[in-house]
Amino acid sequence: MMKGGDILSNRVEAGEDGDVVPGSLDLPNAVDVIEDMSHDVKRAFFEDKQSTLRDLAQTTAAELLAEQQRQLFAQPAEEEQEEEELMEAAALPNVSEIGFYLEQAGVGLGREEMQRVFLALKQLVGSQALLRCRLWGKVLGTESSYIVAEAEYREGEEEEEKSFEEVTEEEEREEETQENERDQLPQSAYKPPPAVPKEDLGTGTNKFVYYVCKEPGLPWVKLPAVSPEQITAARQIRKFFTGRLDTPVVSYPPFPGNEAQYLRAQIARISAGTQVSPQGFFQAGKEEGDEEDETTRDSFEGIPAAKMAESLSTWVHHVQHILQQGRCTWVNLAVKTGEDSEEGEAEEKEELDEPEPEVGPPLKFENIYVGWGLKYAGEGYSPALPPLPQKDYPSGPEITEAFDPSLEQELVMKEALEEQQSAIEEMEDIDDEDDEEDDD
Amino acid sequence: MDSNSLYYSLELVSGTGSTLSVEQRAALQTSLVMLKKNYKFHRVLFWGKILGLNSDYFIAQGRGEDEMQDKKNLYSLNCMDWSLLPPATDSMIQDVSKAAKSRFIGDPSYVYEYPEKKPEQEEDAVESEAAIKVIEESRLAVTVHLIEEEASVVPRGAFVKSPLGVVQINRSFGGLSQSEARKLDSFFHFSKAKNPEKSILEIGDLNQAIDFLDVLSDDIPKGETPEEFGLLRTVTRHHLLWLGLTFYHVPMTPQHGYIYIGDGAKNLDLPFLL
């Protein structure tokens, strides 16, 4: 067959079929088509003879996913439906409307995908009984992506977090006592600088809790609260996400934690840097010291859409900026009283997609992030260099190495010493004689 | 992606988060058809969108007889009025890479300036400041050209090289099978082959008409383009060097294509990111 094909193509080269086959129009080259067709026919013949083997039912990845996503579409029983409707009205915003507006602005994940994501959000609200839930966006990774949902804490949630932390502390203490019983190695006197304390749940960077999932329909995983040192480390490194939450983040300076913590830190930075709302939509809470509480103003009159699209001054950040320290409210580590300070560094724009969606009726606006989770760095990223190695000990004559004196040098030294000795003795003798003479 | 299949293929590539609004899609459908007639292209593709600060550029590509050589790029700001982009020459590429480093502004006549100072030579210190000026239109042309060169992906067998050297669509391409679609070496770069030297053993396995392009698996760094399986059993791949390029292929069908929606910046930090 191969030879036949070669002969045919040789003929074409020689131009014998040149008149018949006009390659410049849309008609295909008939000879090549026939070749391919005969190839396929012969392959089909070969397959039929293999019928003695039975096909194993192999579930592909797509089929598994379809099974799990089927549950998204399940309708609950009628009795529960009424309660659920009430709950949903409070918890989820009108999801199809948001999807529609985002699509008008050119942002989105495709209609079916958005629909599935919203159904998954509904499932999350139902299973975790959250107060409020919102689609935060999607973070792309090298192997798979994360769909991120932002939710508000209920009061019971905080207690669970604290108990988890207490358990880990107890485990650490047990380990330490065990080590004390064994022989102790010399302890270094190095004490790391005191860690900046985490912000409380419900405030600052930890105002919301985030859940992620890989595909709508797969179970949601809760991300841990973020700590300031994670944020400062995340500011210095630049890494892709892989799509698995337990991947270690290998970088310099070393990041404390796995991909789950890195993701949470990036989410916090992105929210602080890019979430905006129309001016006047939120107002600060009236109680003193509660600057983080924002409630929607009921008497908000919408700013016309044309005005909002023209100038940037009608949009304001409504999430607190993250300070250098890694928190939203400054903690003075030297002194124990807390102070509020302002002024952080100006942050540049995010690398991808922080759209300003078009505003329809006045109260509709939405923030969504879809991207790779990296910050826009103008010229290029160069990682921090490791610090210079510390010097061991200041060099001085006591520890500088020198050759041992050779035999001749030692003899010379000895003679010189002996001469000195004899000179000194002579001097003493002369002194003694002088003394004796004086006495007389 | 092909203008004929614009409707449904856009759904497949929306993983990166950017789609087109219905208005834009409708406008594209009409204007691309007119473009095909006016310029006498064989095929018109919607190549993608380059996002700028003030406005975005829509890029279309027309293909002539030879799919690889006869390519013309056009840009538009409103999906209706298209202007031809100049072909990218080497000197243009050099100028642009020096002068234009920030984001696209959105105005094709915007001028980027880069003052170039020559170092002082011996005692005759002559500092000549020759400013390199680049307009955004040429920057656009260069960016599109580079992305095409480095990042365009096609499945194996989709294009054939006729003995005359003309690259054409393979009308008997039935699509890759599921298992083939998972392997990296069933996908090629759609640009002039840069690794023509292969051992005779490898050439024996290849079919000269089909395998005339560079295989993706020869790329360094490996794993440059990750996969994603949607429910439709499509294979989509995102490009990591040019963030925003997505390639899709539905196995067992001849549907395939790629689209770039992004800010036109090459991701030079890739070695740090992996």
Side-chain angles (χ1 to χ4, degrees):
Chain A
M1 184 54 207
M2 283 307 291
K3 283 187 190 168
D6 284 337
I7 291 173
L8 284 173
S9 50
N10 283 339
R11 266 203 212 153
V12 172
E13 250 184 277
E16 287 186 28
D17 285 349
D19 302 330
V20 181
V21 182
S24 57
L25 296 182
D26 277 335
L27 290 178
N29 194 344
V31 172
D32 289 339
V33 174
I34 292 180
E35 262 187 65
D36 285 315
M37 279 172 51
S38 74
H39 197 235
D40 287 336
V41 164
K42 301 214 169 181
R43 205 199 308 157
F45 275 144
F46 182 65
E47 279 175 18
D48 276 344
K49 287 182 186 170
Q50 298 264 339
S51 57
T52 46
L53 295 169
R54 261 182 281 163
D55 282 331
L56 281 178
Q58 285 176 349
T59 46
T60 60
E63 286 165 18
L64 285 171
L65 193 59
E67 275 293 322
Q68 285 177 320
Q69 293 195 340
R70 221 181 75 175
Q71 294 170 15
L72 286 179
F73 294 96
Q75 294 258 346
E78 275 192 21
E79 302 167 356
E80 302 172 10
Q81 238 178 21
E82 287 181 15
E83 292 178 22
E84 284 203 21
E85 277 178 22
L86 288 175
M87 262 187 59
E88 282 165 30
L92 278 180
N94 188 344
V95 295
S96 13
E97 203 179 349
I98 291 179
F100 172 70
Y101 283 123
L102 286 173
E103 195 187 325
Q104 289 293 313
V107 175
L109 301 169
R111 279 204 204 137
E112 285 90 11
E113 186 75 19
M114 282 294 230
Q115 188 61 31
R116 261 180 251 135
V117 166
F118 290 135
L119 285 175
L121 277 180
K122 196 168 99 173
Q123 202 188 47
L124 175 68
V125 168
S127 66
Q128 301 275 337
L130 299 165
L131 249 189
R132 219 172 302 170
C133 186
R134 181 182 90 80
L135 174 66
W136 183 88
K138 181 170 172 181
V139 177
L140 303 165
T142 52
E143 289 172 27
S144 77
S145 326
Y146 299 109
I147 297 178
V148 182
E150 180 184 85
E152 263 194 29
Y153 273 118
R154 291 174 308 132
E155 293 194 1
E157 302 266 334
E158 293 182 31
E159 295 170 14
E160 282 178 32
E161 280 283 324
K162 280 182 194 163
S163 61
F164 177 67
E165 284 175 21
E166 282 173 13
V167 165
T168 47
E169 277 177 25
E170 284 174 22
E171 286 177 15
E172 285 174 21
R173 271 180 240 144
E174 283 178 25
E175 285 176 23
E176 281 177 21
T177 48
Q178 279 179 14
E179 281 181 24
N180 286 336
E181 291 168 6
R182 293 180 234 142
D183 288 338
Q184 286 192 356
L185 295 170
Q187 305 271 340
S188 73
Y190 171 71
K191 278 194 186 149
V196 184
K198 259 195 216 183
E199 284 181 290
D200 290 331
L201 304 171
T203 63
T205 46
N206 285 319
K207 188 170 182 186
F208 295 105
V209 63
Y210 292 92
Y211 290 87
V212 292
C213 79
K214 276 198 199 165
E215 291 271 343
L218 296 177
W220 291 88
V221 177
K222 185 167 163 185
L223 289 179
V226 69
S227 76
E229 62 177 30
Q230 285 167 0
I231 290 191
T232 33
R235 274 178 170 155
Q236 292 172 323
I237 63 177
R238 199 168 159 80
K239 275 281 199 181
F240 272 140
F241 294 98
T242 59
R244 282 173 287 127
L245 284 173
D246 50 358
T247 334
V249 176
V250 180
S251 63
Y252 184 78
F255 184 79
N258 289 340
E259 184 155 309
Q261 281 90 358
Y262 181 46
L263 180 62
R264 180 66 182 82
Q266 291 293 79
I267 291 174
R269 286 175 69 204
I270 292 170
S271 299
T274 60
Q275 286 195 352
V276 292
S277 58
Q279 194 170 37
F281 190 76
F282 288 116
Q283 70 181 52
K286 289 177 190 166
E287 301 168 24
E288 285 184 19
D290 239 357
E291 289 176 7
E292 303 127 7
D293 269 357
E294 293 154 342
T295 51
T296 62
R297 216 192 262 173
D298 291 324
S299 60
F300 177 68
E301 296 160 4
I303 310 178
K307 218 166 153 196
M308 300 213 80
E310 270 175 21
S311 75
L312 285 176
S313 58
T314 41
W315 297 90
V316 291
H317 289 275
H318 65 249
V319 179
Q320 281 189 313
H321 179 73
I322 302 185
L323 307 168
Q324 274 272 18
Q325 205 179 37
R327 296 165 45 108
C328 288
T329 51
W330 192 62
V331 155
N332 192 345
L333 289 175
V335 184
K336 283 196 184 167
T337 55
E339 287 175 23
D340 283 338
S341 80
E342 316 193 344
E343 303 316 321
E345 38 179 352
E347 290 200 29
E348 301 165 44
K349 287 167 266 170
E350 287 295 329
E351 182 165 314
L352 282 171
D353 280 352
E354 218 292 84
E356 312 213 336
E358 295 179 9
V359 177
L363 286 173
K364 302 270 179 285
F365 70 95
E366 185 63 34
N367 291 292
I368 191 168
Y369 176 85
V370 184
W372 296 86
L374 300 167
K375 189 166 174 185
Y376 179 67
E379 285 281 320
Y381 165 74
S382 51
L385 294 172
L388 289 173
Q390 286 177 333
K391 297 208 169 142
D392 312 296
Y393 196 82
S395 46
E398 310 97 49
I399 60 165
T400 24
E401 290 178 2
F403 283 112
D404 276 344
S406 64
L407 190 57
E408 292 113 2
Q409 285 175 346
E410 281 189 7
L411 286 175
V412 164
M413 275 285 284
K414 198 171 160 191
E415 284 176 15
L417 271 178
E418 283 174 2
E419 279 178 31
Q420 267 190 9
Q421 277 277 320
S422 49
I424 291 174
E425 282 171 11
E426 282 180 16
M427 288 289 295
E428 287 178 1
D429 288 340
I430 294 172
D431 282 340
D432 286 341
E433 289 176 8
D434 283 340
D435 286 339
E436 288 177 13
E437 289 177 0
D438 285 339
D439 284 341
D440 292 342
Chain B
M1 71 193 48
D2 220 322
S3 55
N4 305 336
S5 58
L6 199 60
Y7 262 132
Y8 51 83
S9 17
L10 270 179
E11 290 282 322
L12 297 170
V13 293
S14 355
T16 37
S18 309
T19 50
L20 296 179
S21 74
V22 185
E23 192 189 322
Q24 288 165 346
R25 262 185 264 177
L28 276 177
Q29 286 271 320
T30 37
S31 63
L32 285 180
V33 169
M34 286 179 33
L35 212 58
K36 186 172 171 183
K37 177 186 150 216
N38 290 341
Y39 284 86
K40 300 198 179 52
F41 291 135
H42 278 233
R43 286 206 303 161
V44 173
L45 311 178
F46 177 61
W47 189 89
K49 212 166 120 177
I50 292 196
L51 308 169
L53 283 179
N54 293 339
S55 63
D56 305 328
Y57 295 104
F58 294 88
I59 316 270
Q61 191 178 74
R63 299 246 173 117
E65 263 185 60
D66 186 342
E67 294 271 336
M68 222 145 57
Q69 310 287 338
D70 297 339
K71 282 191 218 168
K72 290 205 176 81
N73 298 319
L74 304 106
Y75 76 98
S76 154
L77 288 161
N78 58 0
C79 292
M80 280 319 255
D81 309 312
W82 297 88
S83 337
L84 198 58
L85 276 177
T89 57
D90 281 335
S91 61
M92 234 189 346
I93 296 179
Q94 277 204 355
D95 286 344
V96 165
S97 55
K98 279 189 210 163
K101 293 204 176 151
S102 55
R103 287 189 163 160
F104 279 92
I105 301 291
D107 171 22
S109 46
Y110 182 82
V111 178
Y112 296 94
E113 279 191 29
Y114 181 76
E116 183 172 359
K117 292 186 189 168
K118 290 183 184 164
E120 298 185 16
Q121 294 175 0
E122 298 175 344
E123 296 174 355
D124 307 332
V126 175
E127 274 191 32
S128 55
E129 291 191 28
I132 300 182
K133 289 188 189 173
V134 171
I135 55 171
E136 183 145 304
E137 205 183 40
S138 14
R139 185 182 175 197
L140 201 57
V142 167
T143 312
V144 172
H145 172 82
L146 284 176
I147 294 180
E148 275 285 316
E149 273 277 318
E150 298 180 9
S152 52
V153 178
V154 294
R156 178 171 185 261
F159 288 92
V160 249
K161 193 171 193 180
S162 81
L164 299 168
V166 178
V167 177
Q168 286 170 338
I169 310 178
N170 183 2
R171 296 199 184 263
S172 331
F173 178 56
L176 300 171
S177 68
Q178 281 281 349
S179 53
E180 275 178 6
R182 259 177 257 225
K183 291 190 231 170
L184 207 52
D185 51 2
S186 353
F187 297 97
F188 294 149
H189 281 299
F190 195 59
S191 49
K192 270 204 187 128
K194 286 166 200 152
N195 305 342
E197 298 161 14
K198 289 189 189 157
S199 71
I200 297 189
L201 279 179
E202 287 177 25
I203 295 184
D205 289 334
L206 304 177
N207 182 349
Q208 276 216 349
I210 302 182
D211 297 297
F212 55 96
L213 301 165
D214 287 334
V215 176
L216 274 190
S217 50
D218 283 343
D219 278 343
I220 297 165
K222 293 233 161 107
E224 199 182 57
T225 47
E227 318 186 357
E228 218 178 84
F229 278 103
L231 260 195
L232 289 176
R233 296 180 295 156
T234 43
V235 180
T236 48
R237 294 201 122 102
H238 302 295
H239 208 276
L240 289 177
L241 195 58
W242 293 97
L243 289 177
L245 184 120
T246 317
F247 162 79
Y248 76 94
H249 171 56
V250 186
M252 302 312 286
T253 69
Q255 290 173 32
H256 67 92
Y258 59 89
I259 189 171
Y260 178 82
I261 298 185
D263 57 2
K266 190 165 179 177
N267 184 16
L268 289 168
D269 307 327
L270 189 64
F272 297 117
L273 288 168
L274 288 173

